[in-house]
mmCIF file of all heavy atoms in Angstrom:
data_model
loop_
_atom_site.group_PDB
_atom_site.id
_atom_site.type_symbol
_atom_site.label_atom_id
_atom_site.label_comp_id
_atom_site.label_asym_id
_atom_site.label_seq_id
_atom_site.Cartn_x
_atom_site.Cartn_y
_atom_site.Cartn_z
ATOM 1 N N ILE A 158 -27.993 3.482 -3.841
ATOM 2 C CA ILE A 158 -29.018 3.006 -4.767
ATOM 3 C C ILE A 158 -28.713 3.408 -6.208
ATOM 4 O O ILE A 158 -28.913 2.634 -7.154
ATOM 5 C CB ILE A 158 -30.412 3.538 -4.355
ATOM 6 C CG1 ILE A 158 -30.850 2.900 -3.030
ATOM 7 C CG2 ILE A 158 -31.440 3.266 -5.441
ATOM 8 C CD1 ILE A 158 -31.017 1.395 -3.091
ATOM 9 N N ASN A 159 -28.196 4.607 -6.401
ATOM 10 C CA ASN A 159 -28.073 5.162 -7.748
ATOM 11 C C ASN A 159 -26.685 5.035 -8.362
ATOM 12 O O ASN A 159 -26.520 5.326 -9.550
ATOM 13 C CB ASN A 159 -28.483 6.638 -7.723
ATOM 14 C CG ASN A 159 -29.949 6.826 -7.358
ATOM 15 O OD1 ASN A 159 -30.831 6.373 -8.078
ATOM 16 N ND2 ASN A 159 -30.202 7.474 -6.241
ATOM 17 N N TYR A 160 -25.709 4.609 -7.577
ATOM 18 C CA TYR A 160 -24.348 4.536 -8.102
ATOM 19 C C TYR A 160 -23.711 3.191 -7.755
ATOM 20 O O TYR A 160 -24.043 2.569 -6.734
ATOM 21 C CB TYR A 160 -23.478 5.650 -7.503
ATOM 22 C CG TYR A 160 -23.877 7.041 -7.924
ATOM 23 C CD1 TYR A 160 -24.812 7.765 -7.181
ATOM 24 C CD2 TYR A 160 -23.325 7.636 -9.056
ATOM 25 C CE1 TYR A 160 -25.188 9.042 -7.564
ATOM 26 C CE2 TYR A 160 -23.686 8.924 -9.440
ATOM 27 C CZ TYR A 160 -24.618 9.619 -8.689
ATOM 28 O OH TYR A 160 -24.991 10.881 -9.063
ATOM 29 N N ASP A 161 -22.810 2.750 -8.613
ATOM 30 C CA ASP A 161 -21.936 1.629 -8.270
ATOM 31 C C ASP A 161 -20.758 2.192 -7.485
ATOM 32 O O ASP A 161 -20.106 3.149 -7.930
ATOM 33 C CB ASP A 161 -21.409 0.939 -9.533
ATOM 34 C CG ASP A 161 -22.513 0.267 -10.328
ATOM 35 O OD1 ASP A 161 -23.533 -0.105 -9.720
ATOM 36 O OD2 ASP A 161 -22.342 0.123 -11.555
ATOM 37 N N LEU A 162 -20.475 1.625 -6.329
ATOM 38 C CA LEU A 162 -19.326 2.050 -5.527
ATOM 39 C C LEU A 162 -18.166 1.111 -5.842
ATOM 40 O O LEU A 162 -18.231 -0.083 -5.540
ATOM 41 C CB LEU A 162 -19.667 2.017 -4.039
ATOM 42 C CG LEU A 162 -20.876 2.872 -3.619
ATOM 43 C CD1 LEU A 162 -21.110 2.776 -2.120
ATOM 44 C CD2 LEU A 162 -20.694 4.317 -4.044
ATOM 45 N N VAL A 163 -17.136 1.622 -6.456
ATOM 46 C CA VAL A 163 -16.015 0.806 -6.911
ATOM 47 C C VAL A 163 -14.778 1.144 -6.080
ATOM 48 O O VAL A 163 -14.373 2.311 -5.998
ATOM 49 C CB VAL A 163 -15.717 1.054 -8.403
ATOM 50 C CG1 VAL A 163 -14.538 0.195 -8.855
ATOM 51 C CG2 VAL A 163 -16.959 0.766 -9.243
ATOM 52 N N TYR A 164 -14.181 0.129 -5.466
ATOM 53 C CA TYR A 164 -12.968 0.306 -4.667
ATOM 54 C C TYR A 164 -11.841 -0.490 -5.318
ATOM 55 O O TYR A 164 -12.024 -1.640 -5.698
ATOM 56 C CB TYR A 164 -13.189 -0.181 -3.232
ATOM 57 C CG TYR A 164 -14.246 0.617 -2.489
ATOM 58 C CD1 TYR A 164 -15.599 0.284 -2.579
ATOM 59 C CD2 TYR A 164 -13.884 1.714 -1.716
ATOM 60 C CE1 TYR A 164 -16.563 1.017 -1.914
ATOM 61 C CE2 TYR A 164 -14.847 2.455 -1.037
ATOM 62 C CZ TYR A 164 -16.182 2.100 -1.144
ATOM 63 O OH TYR A 164 -17.141 2.826 -0.482
ATOM 64 N N VAL A 165 -10.688 0.132 -5.435
ATOM 65 C CA VAL A 165 -9.546 -0.491 -6.098
ATOM 66 C C VAL A 165 -8.362 -0.512 -5.141
ATOM 67 O O VAL A 165 -8.016 0.524 -4.558
ATOM 68 C CB VAL A 165 -9.155 0.285 -7.380
ATOM 69 C CG1 VAL A 165 -7.962 -0.373 -8.071
ATOM 70 C CG2 VAL A 165 -10.342 0.382 -8.337
ATOM 71 N N ASP A 166 -7.742 -1.680 -4.959
ATOM 72 C CA ASP A 166 -6.491 -1.744 -4.196
ATOM 73 C C ASP A 166 -5.404 -1.064 -5.018
ATOM 74 O O ASP A 166 -5.041 -1.540 -6.098
ATOM 75 C CB ASP A 166 -6.084 -3.202 -3.940
ATOM 76 C CG ASP A 166 -6.945 -3.872 -2.885
ATOM 77 O OD1 ASP A 166 -7.600 -3.157 -2.118
ATOM 78 O OD2 ASP A 166 -6.943 -5.115 -2.833
ATOM 79 N N GLN A 167 -4.909 0.059 -4.519
ATOM 80 C CA GLN A 167 -3.838 0.736 -5.250
ATOM 81 C C GLN A 167 -2.621 -0.182 -5.337
ATOM 82 O O GLN A 167 -2.320 -0.917 -4.393
ATOM 83 C CB GLN A 167 -3.459 2.037 -4.544
ATOM 84 C CG GLN A 167 -2.469 2.889 -5.316
ATOM 85 C CD GLN A 167 -2.317 4.283 -4.728
ATOM 86 O OE1 GLN A 167 -3.250 4.784 -4.089
ATOM 87 N NE2 GLN A 167 -1.173 4.906 -4.932
ATOM 88 N N ARG A 168 -1.943 -0.172 -6.479
ATOM 89 C CA ARG A 168 -0.809 -1.080 -6.662
ATOM 90 C C ARG A 168 0.175 -0.923 -5.506
ATOM 91 O O ARG A 168 0.492 0.177 -5.058
ATOM 92 C CB ARG A 168 -0.124 -0.856 -8.005
ATOM 93 C CG ARG A 168 0.437 0.529 -8.223
ATOM 94 C CD ARG A 168 1.255 0.581 -9.506
ATOM 95 N NE ARG A 168 0.449 0.332 -10.686
ATOM 96 C CZ ARG A 168 0.964 0.119 -11.904
ATOM 97 N NH1 ARG A 168 2.281 0.125 -12.076
ATOM 98 N NH2 ARG A 168 0.175 -0.085 -12.946
ATOM 99 N N GLY A 169 0.627 -2.077 -5.007
ATOM 100 C CA GLY A 169 1.488 -2.095 -3.835
ATOM 101 C C GLY A 169 0.731 -2.325 -2.542
ATOM 102 O O GLY A 169 1.334 -2.470 -1.480
ATOM 103 N N THR A 170 -0.625 -2.375 -2.616
ATOM 104 C CA THR A 170 -1.437 -2.583 -1.417
ATOM 105 C C THR A 170 -2.424 -3.718 -1.664
ATOM 106 O O THR A 170 -2.683 -4.104 -2.803
ATOM 107 C CB THR A 170 -2.238 -1.318 -1.053
ATOM 108 O OG1 THR A 170 -3.299 -1.123 -2.012
ATOM 109 C CG2 THR A 170 -1.345 -0.090 -1.047
ATOM 110 N N GLY A 171 -2.990 -4.237 -0.582
ATOM 111 C CA GLY A 171 -4.036 -5.252 -0.688
ATOM 112 C C GLY A 171 -3.645 -6.401 -1.589
ATOM 113 O O GLY A 171 -2.588 -7.008 -1.417
ATOM 114 N N GLN A 172 -4.488 -6.700 -2.565
ATOM 115 C CA GLN A 172 -4.222 -7.796 -3.485
ATOM 116 C C GLN A 172 -3.605 -7.314 -4.797
ATOM 117 O O GLN A 172 -3.546 -8.061 -5.773
ATOM 118 C CB GLN A 172 -5.530 -8.550 -3.772
ATOM 119 C CG GLN A 172 -6.138 -9.196 -2.534
ATOM 120 C CD GLN A 172 -7.363 -10.030 -2.858
ATOM 121 O OE1 GLN A 172 -7.348 -10.879 -3.736
ATOM 122 N NE2 GLN A 172 -8.447 -9.781 -2.134
ATOM 123 N N SER A 173 -3.131 -6.063 -4.821
ATOM 124 C CA SER A 173 -2.469 -5.527 -6.011
ATOM 125 C C SER A 173 -0.956 -5.514 -5.793
ATOM 126 O O SER A 173 -0.330 -4.462 -5.637
ATOM 127 C CB SER A 173 -2.988 -4.114 -6.326
ATOM 128 O OG SER A 173 -4.349 -4.152 -6.701
ATOM 129 N N ASN A 174 -0.393 -6.728 -5.740
ATOM 130 C CA ASN A 174 1.047 -6.896 -5.542
ATOM 131 C C ASN A 174 1.529 -6.153 -4.302
ATOM 132 O O ASN A 174 2.371 -5.264 -4.354
ATOM 133 C CB ASN A 174 1.840 -6.423 -6.764
ATOM 134 C CG ASN A 174 3.285 -6.913 -6.725
ATOM 135 O OD1 ASN A 174 3.553 -8.007 -6.236
ATOM 136 N ND2 ASN A 174 4.210 -6.123 -7.226
ATOM 137 N N TYR A 175 1.003 -6.556 -3.161
ATOM 138 C CA TYR A 175 1.308 -5.918 -1.879
ATOM 139 C C TYR A 175 2.810 -5.884 -1.629
ATOM 140 O O TYR A 175 3.485 -6.916 -1.682
ATOM 141 C CB TYR A 175 0.597 -6.681 -0.771
ATOM 142 C CG TYR A 175 0.881 -6.161 0.623
ATOM 143 C CD1 TYR A 175 0.657 -4.835 0.938
ATOM 144 C CD2 TYR A 175 1.335 -7.015 1.621
ATOM 145 C CE1 TYR A 175 0.892 -4.354 2.214
ATOM 146 C CE2 TYR A 175 1.573 -6.544 2.898
ATOM 147 C CZ TYR A 175 1.353 -5.220 3.191
ATOM 148 O OH TYR A 175 1.587 -4.746 4.446
ATOM 149 N N LEU A 176 3.347 -4.698 -1.369
ATOM 150 C CA LEU A 176 4.767 -4.529 -1.080
ATOM 151 C C LEU A 176 4.955 -4.518 0.432
ATOM 152 O O LEU A 176 4.638 -3.537 1.109
ATOM 153 C CB LEU A 176 5.283 -3.217 -1.688
ATOM 154 C CG LEU A 176 5.130 -3.079 -3.208
ATOM 155 C CD1 LEU A 176 5.695 -1.735 -3.672
ATOM 156 C CD2 LEU A 176 5.819 -4.222 -3.938
ATOM 157 N N LYS A 177 5.457 -5.599 0.963
ATOM 158 C CA LYS A 177 5.587 -5.755 2.412
ATOM 159 C C LYS A 177 6.986 -5.366 2.866
ATOM 160 O O LYS A 177 7.977 -5.739 2.242
ATOM 161 C CB LYS A 177 5.293 -7.200 2.811
ATOM 162 C CG LYS A 177 5.393 -7.469 4.310
ATOM 163 C CD LYS A 177 5.015 -8.904 4.628
ATOM 164 C CE LYS A 177 5.207 -9.224 6.102
ATOM 165 N NZ LYS A 177 4.393 -8.359 6.961
ATOM 166 N N CYS A 178 7.045 -4.627 3.963
ATOM 167 C CA CYS A 178 8.320 -4.270 4.574
ATOM 168 C C CYS A 178 8.527 -5.154 5.812
ATOM 169 O O CYS A 178 7.640 -5.231 6.666
ATOM 170 C CB CYS A 178 8.335 -2.805 4.989
ATOM 171 S SG CYS A 178 8.044 -1.650 3.632
ATOM 172 N N SER A 179 9.677 -5.804 5.900
ATOM 173 C CA SER A 179 9.903 -6.740 7.005
ATOM 174 C C SER A 179 9.915 -6.037 8.352
ATOM 175 O O SER A 179 9.587 -6.627 9.378
ATOM 176 C CB SER A 179 11.237 -7.475 6.802
ATOM 177 O OG SER A 179 12.321 -6.556 6.799
ATOM 178 N N GLY A 180 10.277 -4.762 8.372
ATOM 179 C CA GLY A 180 10.342 -4.025 9.635
ATOM 180 C C GLY A 180 9.093 -3.231 9.925
ATOM 181 O O GLY A 180 9.160 -2.207 10.598
ATOM 182 N N SER A 181 7.933 -3.670 9.438
ATOM 183 C CA SER A 181 6.644 -2.984 9.546
ATOM 184 C C SER A 181 6.685 -1.685 8.742
ATOM 185 O O SER A 181 7.550 -1.504 7.895
ATOM 186 C CB SER A 181 6.252 -2.739 11.011
ATOM 187 O OG SER A 181 6.988 -1.687 11.581
ATOM 188 N N PHE A 182 5.777 -0.773 9.028
ATOM 189 C CA PHE A 182 5.661 0.428 8.206
ATOM 190 C C PHE A 182 6.838 1.358 8.457
ATOM 191 O O PHE A 182 7.105 1.725 9.598
ATOM 192 C CB PHE A 182 4.356 1.152 8.510
ATOM 193 C CG PHE A 182 4.056 2.271 7.568
ATOM 194 C CD1 PHE A 182 3.467 2.021 6.343
ATOM 195 C CD2 PHE A 182 4.379 3.585 7.894
ATOM 196 C CE1 PHE A 182 3.184 3.054 5.460
ATOM 197 C CE2 PHE A 182 4.105 4.619 7.021
ATOM 198 C CZ PHE A 182 3.508 4.351 5.797
ATOM 199 N N PRO A 183 7.569 1.767 7.407
ATOM 200 C CA PRO A 183 8.733 2.648 7.603
ATOM 201 C C PRO A 183 8.328 4.005 8.163
ATOM 202 O O PRO A 183 7.326 4.579 7.754
ATOM 203 C CB PRO A 183 9.308 2.794 6.183
ATOM 204 C CG PRO A 183 8.751 1.640 5.420
ATOM 205 C CD PRO A 183 7.399 1.389 5.996
ATOM 206 N N ARG A 184 9.153 4.526 9.077
ATOM 207 C CA ARG A 184 8.857 5.815 9.691
ATOM 208 C C ARG A 184 9.908 6.871 9.400
ATOM 209 O O ARG A 184 9.777 8.007 9.843
ATOM 210 C CB ARG A 184 8.726 5.655 11.216
ATOM 211 C CG ARG A 184 7.640 4.705 11.665
ATOM 212 C CD ARG A 184 6.304 4.990 11.079
ATOM 213 N NE ARG A 184 5.883 6.377 11.218
ATOM 214 C CZ ARG A 184 4.803 6.874 10.647
ATOM 215 N NH1 ARG A 184 4.057 6.114 9.869
ATOM 216 N NH2 ARG A 184 4.479 8.138 10.819
ATOM 217 N N ASN A 185 10.977 6.533 8.711
ATOM 218 C CA ASN A 185 11.981 7.533 8.383
ATOM 219 C C ASN A 185 12.637 7.153 7.060
ATOM 220 O O ASN A 185 12.376 6.078 6.503
ATOM 221 C CB ASN A 185 13.017 7.678 9.506
ATOM 222 C CG ASN A 185 13.673 6.358 9.856
ATOM 223 O OD1 ASN A 185 14.208 5.672 8.980
ATOM 224 N ND2 ASN A 185 13.638 5.985 11.126
ATOM 225 N N VAL A 186 13.512 8.034 6.565
ATOM 226 C CA VAL A 186 14.119 7.822 5.251
ATOM 227 C C VAL A 186 14.904 6.521 5.211
ATOM 228 O O VAL A 186 14.826 5.741 4.252
ATOM 229 C CB VAL A 186 15.019 9.016 4.886
ATOM 230 C CG1 VAL A 186 15.771 8.732 3.591
ATOM 231 C CG2 VAL A 186 14.190 10.287 4.739
ATOM 232 N N GLY A 187 15.675 6.259 6.258
ATOM 233 C CA GLY A 187 16.480 5.037 6.301
ATOM 234 C C GLY A 187 15.645 3.783 6.211
ATOM 235 O O GLY A 187 15.995 2.837 5.485
ATOM 236 N N GLU A 188 14.535 3.745 6.941
ATOM 237 C CA GLU A 188 13.667 2.568 6.921
ATOM 238 C C GLU A 188 12.998 2.405 5.557
ATOM 239 O O GLU A 188 12.789 1.279 5.097
ATOM 240 C CB GLU A 188 12.619 2.680 8.034
ATOM 241 C CG GLU A 188 13.222 2.551 9.431
ATOM 242 C CD GLU A 188 12.187 2.710 10.526
ATOM 243 O OE1 GLU A 188 10.991 2.905 10.197
ATOM 244 O OE2 GLU A 188 12.563 2.656 11.715
ATOM 245 N N TRP A 189 12.654 3.522 4.900
ATOM 246 C CA TRP A 189 12.096 3.432 3.552
ATOM 247 C C TRP A 189 13.124 2.861 2.583
ATOM 248 O O TRP A 189 12.802 2.055 1.704
ATOM 249 C CB TRP A 189 11.635 4.811 3.067
ATOM 250 C CG TRP A 189 10.248 5.172 3.505
ATOM 251 C CD1 TRP A 189 9.898 6.081 4.449
ATOM 252 C CD2 TRP A 189 9.016 4.617 3.022
ATOM 253 N NE1 TRP A 189 8.532 6.135 4.585
ATOM 254 C CE2 TRP A 189 7.970 5.252 3.721
ATOM 255 C CE3 TRP A 189 8.708 3.656 2.071
ATOM 256 C CZ2 TRP A 189 6.638 4.949 3.497
ATOM 257 C CZ3 TRP A 189 7.372 3.348 1.840
ATOM 258 C CH2 TRP A 189 6.353 3.990 2.549
ATOM 259 N N GLN A 190 14.384 3.253 2.742
ATOM 260 C CA GLN A 190 15.432 2.744 1.858
ATOM 261 C C GLN A 190 15.635 1.245 2.064
ATOM 262 O O GLN A 190 15.824 0.491 1.098
ATOM 263 C CB GLN A 190 16.731 3.514 2.103
ATOM 264 C CG GLN A 190 16.671 4.957 1.647
ATOM 265 C CD GLN A 190 17.875 5.769 2.057
ATOM 266 O OE1 GLN A 190 18.558 5.438 3.025
ATOM 267 N NE2 GLN A 190 18.153 6.845 1.320
ATOM 268 N N VAL A 191 15.598 0.805 3.318
ATOM 269 C CA VAL A 191 15.725 -0.625 3.610
ATOM 270 C C VAL A 191 14.570 -1.388 2.986
ATOM 271 O O VAL A 191 14.754 -2.437 2.347
ATOM 272 C CB VAL A 191 15.771 -0.860 5.140
ATOM 273 C CG1 VAL A 191 15.640 -2.350 5.453
ATOM 274 C CG2 VAL A 191 17.069 -0.314 5.721
ATOM 275 N N CYS A 192 13.347 -0.868 3.152
ATOM 276 C CA CYS A 192 12.165 -1.532 2.599
ATOM 277 C C CYS A 192 12.256 -1.607 1.078
ATOM 278 O O CYS A 192 11.941 -2.635 0.479
ATOM 279 C CB CYS A 192 10.906 -0.795 3.029
ATOM 280 S SG CYS A 192 9.383 -1.555 2.409
ATOM 281 N N ALA A 193 12.697 -0.510 0.449
ATOM 282 C CA ALA A 193 12.818 -0.504 -1.012
ATOM 283 C C ALA A 193 13.799 -1.574 -1.475
ATOM 284 O O ALA A 193 13.574 -2.249 -2.494
ATOM 285 C CB ALA A 193 13.268 0.874 -1.491
ATOM 286 N N GLY A 194 14.876 -1.758 -0.717
ATOM 287 C CA GLY A 194 15.862 -2.768 -1.078
ATOM 288 C C GLY A 194 15.351 -4.185 -0.963
ATOM 289 O O GLY A 194 15.912 -5.117 -1.562
ATOM 290 N N GLU A 195 14.277 -4.373 -0.200
ATOM 291 C CA GLU A 195 13.695 -5.708 -0.030
ATOM 292 C C GLU A 195 12.774 -6.103 -1.187
ATOM 293 O O GLU A 195 12.404 -7.272 -1.305
ATOM 294 C CB GLU A 195 12.902 -5.770 1.284
ATOM 295 C CG GLU A 195 13.770 -5.599 2.519
ATOM 296 C CD GLU A 195 12.951 -5.511 3.799
ATOM 297 O OE1 GLU A 195 11.700 -5.318 3.694
ATOM 298 O OE2 GLU A 195 13.519 -5.627 4.885
#
């Protein structure tokens, strides 16, 4: 009632330039490197 609740998609998520990894969510350093290269 007393406050505005404001939610923001952090950049790289949701509608803020979503960074998608083709191999789903990376679970190790190698997968993060592959995702970054995409």
